[in-house]
Amino acid sequence: GDSVTQMEGPVTLSEEAFLTINCTYTATGYPSLFWYVQYPGEGLQLLLKATKADDKGSNKGFEATYRKETTSFHLEKGSVQVSDSAVYFCALRSDNQFYFGTGTSLTVIP
Amino acid sequence: AAGVIQSPRHLIKEKRETATLKCYPIPRHDTVYWYQQGPGQDPQFLISFYEKMQSDKGSIPDRFSAQQFSDYHSELNMSSLELGDSALYFCASSWRQAAKVSPLHFGNGTRLTVT
């Protein structure tokens, strides 16, 4: 079945460091891919999305490119801030079902 | 912009009691999803509704039931509560007509604590 595999955390970075959180997927069709962010005590918020191969989603300095050849959708940010500390979830939509990765906790220290 | 509204925000119940969680989706969204998230866990899909009919069923216990009403709001009913039911319960909505591009929009969740 469809699934998402996400890099395990927790990840701890210093402010202004480069961030990569790996995400790979398995899907039978042509899914849409998403990154969600969850701050403590809050719901998941959509961070960015890509709906077809080679699409690049971007928001708030975060980027991810839909790579069909490697079935990947890695999240990157060039310079993280303390306010980026949160849990990040990779997800795919296949038909009308959503599949989530297990989440990666990011802590950015000053 | 209107978001997904969930109530209550926090709920404390005792074992064997019942609980009802409510969800108001984004206007014009036709699909509602319920998720359960335990501490440090990813959201686990419980059940979904499309146009007021049950659409898909995930790992929802038999003690739980849900429905979507004519105004598209949804309620998750939980009976014979157990300690293990303590979790964050999220409702999310989406627009099936734009299936390819419409993401899930989450509410802020209901934190259920069973004592």
Coordinates of all heavy atoms in Angstrom, one line a residue, chain A residues 30-32 34 36 38 41-46 49-52 66 89 93 95-103, chain B residues 9 33 35 37 40-43 45 56 88 90 94-96 98-109 111:
Chain A
Y30 N -0.2 8.5 -8.8 CA 0.5 9.8 -8.8 C 0.1 10.7 -7.7 O -0.8 11.5 -7.9 CB 0.3 10.5 -10.2 CG 0.7 9.6 -11.3 CD1 -0.1 8.7 -11.9 CD2 2.1 9.6 -11.8 CE1 0.3 7.9 -13.0 CE2 2.5 8.7 -12.8 CZ 1.6 7.9 -13.4 OH 2.0 7.1 -14.4
P31 N 0.7 10.5 -6.5 CA 0.2 11.2 -5.4 C 0.6 12.7 -5.4 O 1.5 13.1 -6.1 CB 0.9 10.5 -4.2 CG 2.2 10.1 -4.8 CD 1.9 9.7 -6.2
S32 N -0.1 13.5 -4.5 CA 0.3 14.8 -4.2 C 1.1 14.7 -2.9 O 0.8 13.8 -2.1 CB -0.8 15.7 -4.0 OG -1.6 15.9 -5.2
F34 N 3.1 16.6 0.6 CA 2.9 17.7 1.5 C 4.0 17.6 2.6 O 4.4 16.5 3.0 CB 1.5 17.7 2.1 CG 0.4 17.6 1.1 CD1 -0.1 16.4 0.7 CD2 -0.2 18.8 0.6 CE1 -1.2 16.3 -0.2 CE2 -1.2 18.7 -0.3 CZ -1.7 17.5 -0.7
Y36 N 3.9 19.1 6.5 CA 3.1 19.8 7.6 C 4.1 20.1 8.7 O 5.0 19.4 9.0 CB 2.0 18.9 8.1 CG 0.8 18.9 7.1 CD1 0.7 17.9 6.1 CD2 -0.3 19.7 7.3 CE1 -0.4 17.9 5.2 CE2 -1.4 19.7 6.5 CZ -1.4 18.8 5.4 OH -2.5 18.7 4.6
Q38 N 4.0 21.0 13.0 CA 3.2 21.0 14.2 C 3.9 21.7 15.3 O 5.0 21.1 15.7 CB 2.7 19.6 14.6 CG 1.8 19.6 15.7 CD 1.2 18.2 16.1 OE1 1.9 17.2 15.8 NE2 0.0 18.1 16.6
G41 N 1.2 21.7 21.1 CA -0.2 22.0 21.5 C -1.1 22.5 20.4 O -2.2 22.9 20.6
E42 N -0.6 22.4 19.2 CA -1.4 22.9 18.0 C -1.6 21.8 17.0 O -1.0 20.7 17.1 CB -0.7 24.1 17.4 CG -0.5 25.3 18.3 CD 0.0 26.5 17.5 OE1 0.1 26.5 16.3 OE2 0.4 27.5 18.2
G43 N -2.5 22.1 16.1 CA -2.8 21.2 15.0 C -1.7 21.2 13.9 O -0.8 22.1 14.0
L44 N -1.8 20.3 13.0 CA -0.8 20.3 11.9 C -1.1 21.5 10.9 O -2.3 21.7 10.5 CB -0.8 19.0 11.1 CG -0.1 17.8 11.8 CD1 -0.7 17.3 13.0 CD2 0.1 16.7 10.8
Q45 N -0.1 22.2 10.5 CA -0.3 23.3 9.6 C 0.4 22.9 8.3 O 1.5 22.5 8.3 CB 0.3 24.6 10.1 CG -0.3 25.0 11.5 CD 0.4 26.3 12.0 OE1 1.0 27.0 11.3 NE2 0.3 26.4 13.3
L46 N -0.3 23.2 7.2 CA 0.4 22.9 5.9 C 1.5 23.9 5.7 O 1.4 25.1 5.8 CB -0.6 23.1 4.8 CG -0.1 23.0 3.4 CD1 0.3 21.5 3.1 CD2 -1.1 23.4 2.3
K49 N 3.5 22.2 -0.5 CA 3.0 21.1 -1.2 C 3.5 21.0 -2.7 O 4.0 22.1 -3.2 CB 1.4 21.1 -1.3 CG 0.9 22.3 -2.1 CD -0.6 22.2 -2.1 CE -1.2 23.4 -3.0 NZ -2.7 23.4 -3.0
A50 N 3.4 19.9 -3.3 CA 3.8 19.7 -4.7 C 2.8 18.6 -5.3 O 2.6 17.6 -4.6 CB 5.2 19.3 -4.8
T51 N 2.3 18.9 -6.4 CA 1.3 18.0 -6.9 C 1.7 17.1 -8.1 O 1.0 16.2 -8.5 CB 0.0 18.8 -7.4 OG1 0.4 19.7 -8.3 CG2 -0.6 19.5 -6.2
K52 N 2.9 17.4 -8.7 CA 3.3 16.5 -9.7 C 4.9 16.5 -9.8 O 5.5 17.4 -9.2 CB 2.8 17.0 -11.1 CG 3.2 18.4 -11.5 CD 2.5 18.7 -12.8 CE 3.0 20.0 -13.4 NZ 2.7 21.2 -12.5
Y66 N 9.5 17.5 -5.6 CA 8.9 16.2 -5.9 C 9.8 15.5 -6.9 O 9.8 15.8 -8.1 CB 7.5 16.5 -6.5 CG 6.6 15.4 -6.7 CD1 5.2 15.6 -6.4 CD2 7.0 14.1 -7.1 CE1 4.3 14.6 -6.6 CE2 6.0 13.1 -7.3 CZ 4.7 13.3 -7.0 OH 3.8 12.3 -7.2
F89 N 6.0 16.8 9.5 CA 5.5 15.6 9.0 C 5.4 15.7 7.5 O 4.9 16.6 6.9 CB 4.0 15.4 9.5 CG 3.9 15.1 10.9 CD1 3.7 16.1 11.9 CD2 4.0 13.8 11.4 CE1 3.6 15.9 13.2 CE2 3.8 13.5 12.7 CZ 3.6 14.5 13.7
R93 N -1.0 12.4 -0.5 CA -2.4 12.2 -0.8 C -2.6 11.3 -2.0 O -2.1 11.6 -3.1 CB -3.2 13.5 -1.1 CG -4.6 13.3 -1.4 CD -5.4 14.6 -1.5 NE -6.8 14.3 -1.6 CZ -7.8 15.2 -1.4 NH1 -7.5 16.4 -1.0 NH2 -9.0 14.9 -1.5
D95 N -5.6 9.3 -4.0 CA -7.1 9.3 -4.1 C -7.6 10.2 -3.0 O -7.2 11.4 -2.9 CB -7.6 7.9 -3.9 CG -7.3 7.1 -5.2 OD1 -7.2 7.6 -6.3 OD2 -7.1 5.8 -5.0
N96 N -8.4 9.7 -2.1 CA -8.9 10.6 -1.0 C -8.4 10.2 0.3 O -9.0 10.5 1.4 CB -10.4 10.6 -1.0 CG -10.9 11.2 -2.3 OD1 -10.7 12.4 -2.6 ND2 -11.7 10.4 -3.1
Q97 N -7.2 9.6 0.3 CA -6.6 9.1 1.6 C -5.3 9.8 1.8 O -4.6 10.0 0.8 CB -6.5 7.6 1.6 CG -6.2 7.0 3.0 CD -7.1 7.5 4.0 OE1 -7.0 8.5 4.7 NE2 -8.2 6.7 4.2
F98 N -5.0 10.2 3.0 CA -3.7 10.8 3.3 C -2.9 9.9 4.2 O -3.4 9.2 5.1 CB -4.0 12.1 4.1 CG -4.5 13.2 3.3 CD1 -5.9 13.3 3.0 CD2 -3.7 14.2 2.7 CE1 -6.4 14.3 2.3 CE2 -4.3 15.2 2.0 CZ -5.6 15.3 1.7
Y99 N -1.6 9.8 3.9 CA -0.7 9.0 4.6 C 0.4 9.9 5.2 O 1.0 10.7 4.4 CB -0.1 7.9 3.7 CG -1.1 7.0 3.1 CD1 -1.7 7.4 1.9 CD2 -1.5 5.9 3.7 CE1 -2.7 6.6 1.3 CE2 -2.5 5.0 3.1 CZ -3.1 5.4 2.0 OH -4.0 4.6 1.4
F100 N 0.7 9.7 6.5 CA 1.7 10.6 7.1 C 2.9 9.8 7.5 O 2.9 8.6 7.8 CB 1.1 11.2 8.4 CG 0.1 12.2 8.2 CD1 -1.2 11.9 8.0 CD2 0.5 13.6 8.1 CE1 -2.2 12.9 7.7 CE2 -0.4 14.6 7.8 CZ -1.8 14.2 7.6
G101 N 4.1 10.5 7.5 CA 5.3 9.9 8.1 C 5.2 10.0 9.6 O 4.2 10.6 10.1
T102 N 6.2 9.5 10.3 CA 6.2 9.5 11.7 C 6.6 10.8 12.4 O 6.5 10.9 13.6 CB 7.1 8.3 12.2 OG1 8.3 8.5 11.7 CG2 6.5 7.0 11.9
G103 N 6.9 11.8 11.6 CA 7.3 13.1 12.2 C 8.7 13.1 12.6 O 9.3 12.2 13.0
Chain B
R9 N -11.7 22.3 23.4 CA -10.3 22.3 23.2 C -9.6 21.2 24.2 O -8.6 20.6 23.8 CB -9.7 23.7 23.5 CG -8.3 23.8 23.1 CD -8.1 23.8 21.5 NE -6.8 23.5 21.1 CZ -5.8 24.4 21.0 NH1 -6.0 25.6 21.3 NH2 -4.6 24.0 20.6
Y33 N -12.2 14.4 8.0 CA -11.3 13.3 8.5 C -11.1 13.4 10.0 O -11.0 14.6 10.5 CB -10.0 13.3 7.9 CG -9.9 13.2 6.4 CD1 -10.3 14.3 5.6 CD2 -9.6 12.1 5.7 CE1 -10.2 14.3 4.2 CE2 -9.5 12.0 4.3 CZ -9.8 13.1 3.6 OH -9.8 13.1 2.2
Y35 N -8.6 12.1 13.2 CA -7.3 11.5 13.5 C -7.1 11.5 15.0 O -7.6 12.4 15.7 CB -6.1 12.3 12.8 CG -6.0 12.1 11.4 CD1 -6.7 12.9 10.5 CD2 -5.1 11.2 10.8 CE1 -6.6 12.8 9.1 CE2 -5.0 11.0 9.4 CZ -5.7 11.9 8.6 OH -5.6 11.7 7.2
Q37 N -3.9 11.3 17.8 CA -2.5 11.4 17.9 C -2.0 11.2 19.3 O -2.3 12.1 20.2 CB -2.0 12.8 17.4 CG -0.5 12.9 17.3 CD 0.0 14.3 16.8 OE1 -0.7 15.3 17.0 NE2 1.1 14.3 16.1
G40 N 4.0 12.0 21.0 CA 5.1 11.6 20.2 C 4.8 10.7 19.0 O 5.7 10.2 18.4
Q41 N 3.6 10.6 18.7 CA 3.2 9.8 17.5 C 2.7 10.6 16.4 O 2.4 11.8 16.5 CB 2.0 8.8 18.0 CG 2.3 8.0 19.2 CD 3.4 7.0 19.0 OE1 3.4 6.3 17.9 NE2 4.3 6.9 19.9
D42 N 2.7 9.9 15.2 CA 2.1 10.6 14.0 C 0.6 10.4 14.1 O 0.1 9.5 14.8 CB 2.6 10.0 12.7 CG 2.4 8.5 12.6 OD1 2.8 7.8 13.5 OD2 1.8 8.1 11.6
P43 N -0.2 11.2 13.4 CA -1.7 11.1 13.5 C -2.1 9.8 12.9 O -1.7 9.4 11.8 CB -2.1 12.3 12.6 CG -1.0 13.2 12.5 CD 0.3 12.4 12.6
F45 N -5.2 7.7 11.4 CA -6.5 7.9 10.7 C -7.6 7.1 11.4 O -7.4 5.9 11.6 CB -6.4 7.6 9.2 CG -7.7 7.6 8.5 CD1 -8.4 8.8 8.4 CD2 -8.2 6.4 8.0 CE1 -9.7 8.8 7.7 CE2 -9.4 6.4 7.3 CZ -10.1 7.6 7.2
D56 N -14.2 6.4 4.4 CA -13.2 5.4 4.7 C -13.1 5.2 6.2 O -13.5 6.1 7.0 CB -11.8 5.9 4.2 CG -11.7 5.9 2.7 OD1 -11.7 4.8 2.1 OD2 -11.6 6.9 2.1
L88 N -4.6 13.4 21.6 CA -5.1 14.6 20.8 C -5.9 14.1 19.7 O -5.5 13.2 19.0 CB -3.9 15.4 20.3 CG -3.4 16.6 21.0 CD1 -2.2 17.2 20.3 CD2 -4.5 17.7 21.1
F90 N -7.8 15.1 16.3 CA -7.8 16.1 15.2 C -8.9 15.9 14.2 O -9.1 14.7 13.8 CB -6.5 16.2 14.5 CG -5.4 16.8 15.3 CD1 -4.3 16.0 15.7 CD2 -5.3 18.2 15.6 CE1 -3.3 16.5 16.5 CE2 -4.3 18.7 16.3 CZ -3.3 17.9 16.8
S94 N -11.2 18.8 3.8 CA -10.6 18.9 2.5 C -11.7 19.0 1.4 O -12.9 18.8 1.8 CB -9.7 17.7 2.2 OG -9.0 17.8 1.0
W95 N -11.3 19.3 0.2 CA -12.3 19.5 -0.9 C -12.0 18.4 -1.9 O -11.0 18.5 -2.7 CB -12.2 20.9 -1.4 CG -13.2 21.2 -2.4 CD1 -14.5 20.8 -2.4 CD2 -13.1 22.1 -3.5 NE1 -15.2 21.4 -3.4 CE2 -14.4 22.2 -4.1 CE3 -12.1 22.9 -4.1 CZ2 -14.7 23.0 -5.2 CZ3 -12.3 23.7 -5.2 CH2 -13.6 23.7 -5.7
R96 N -12.9 17.4 -2.0 CA -12.6 16.3 -2.8 C -12.7 16.7 -4.3 O -12.0 16.1 -5.1 CB -13.7 15.2 -2.6 CG -13.5 13.9 -3.5 CD -14.4 12.8 -3.1 NE -14.0 12.2 -1.9 CZ -14.4 10.9 -1.6 NH1 -15.2 10.3 -2.4 NH2 -14.1 10.4 -0.4
A98 N -11.3 19.0 -5.7 CA -10.0 19.4 -6.1 C -9.0 18.5 -5.5 O -8.0 18.9 -4.9 CB -9.7 20.8 -5.6
A99 N -9.3 17.2 -5.7 CA -8.5 16.1 -4.9 C -7.0 16.2 -5.1 O -6.2 16.0 -4.2 CB -9.0 14.8 -5.4
K100 N -6.6 16.6 -6.3 CA -5.2 16.6 -6.6 C -4.4 17.7 -5.8 O -3.3 17.5 -5.4 CB -5.0 16.8 -8.1 CG -3.6 16.5 -8.5 CD -3.2 15.0 -8.4 CE -1.8 14.8 -9.0 NZ -1.2 13.6 -8.4
V101 N -5.1 18.8 -5.6 CA -4.4 19.9 -5.1 C -4.8 20.3 -3.7 O -4.1 21.1 -3.0 CB -4.5 21.2 -6.0 CG1 -3.9 20.9 -7.4 CG2 -5.9 21.6 -6.1
S102 N -6.0 19.8 -3.2 CA -6.5 20.2 -2.0 C -5.8 19.5 -0.8 O -6.0 18.3 -0.7 CB -8.0 20.0 -1.9 OG -8.5 20.4 -0.7
P103 N -5.1 20.2 0.0 CA -4.5 19.5 1.2 C -5.5 19.3 2.3 O -6.6 19.8 2.2 CB -3.4 20.5 1.6 CG -4.0 21.8 1.3 CD -4.8 21.6 0.0
L104 N -5.1 18.7 3.3 CA -5.9 18.6 4.6 C -5.7 19.9 5.4 O -4.5 20.3 5.5 CB -5.4 17.4 5.4 CG -6.0 16.0 5.2 CD1 -5.4 15.0 6.1 CD2 -7.5 16.0 5.2
H105 N -6.7 20.4 5.9 CA -6.7 21.5 6.8 C -7.1 21.0 8.1 O -8.2 20.6 8.3 CB -7.6 22.7 6.3 CG -7.2 23.2 5.0 ND1 -6.3 24.3 4.9 CD2 -7.4 22.9 3.7 CE1 -6.1 24.6 3.6 NE2 -6.8 23.7 2.9
F106 N -6.2 21.2 9.1 CA -6.4 20.6 10.4 C -7.0 21.7 11.4 O -6.6 22.9 11.3 CB -5.1 20.1 11.0 CG -4.7 18.8 10.5 CD1 -4.0 18.7 9.3 CD2 -5.0 17.6 11.2 CE1 -3.6 17.5 8.8 CE2 -4.6 16.4 10.7 CZ -3.9 16.3 9.5
G107 N -7.8 21.2 12.3 CA -8.2 22.0 13.5 C -7.1 22.0 14.5 O -6.1 21.2 14.3
N108 N -7.2 22.7 15.6 CA -6.2 22.7 16.6 C -6.4 21.5 17.6 O -5.5 21.3 18.5 CB -6.3 24.0 17.4 CG -5.5 25.1 16.7 OD1 -4.6 24.8 16.0 ND2 -5.9 26.3 16.9
G109 N -7.4 20.7 17.4 CA -7.5 19.5 18.1 C -8.2 19.6 19.5 O -8.4 20.7 20.0
R111 N -7.8 17.9 23.2 CA -7.0 17.0 24.0 C -7.9 16.3 25.0 O -8.5 16.9 25.9 CB -5.9 17.9 24.8 CG -5.0 17.0 25.6 CD -3.8 17.7 26.2 NE -2.9 18.2 25.2 CZ -2.0 17.4 24.6 NH1 -1.9 16.2 24.9 NH2 -1.2 18.0 23.7

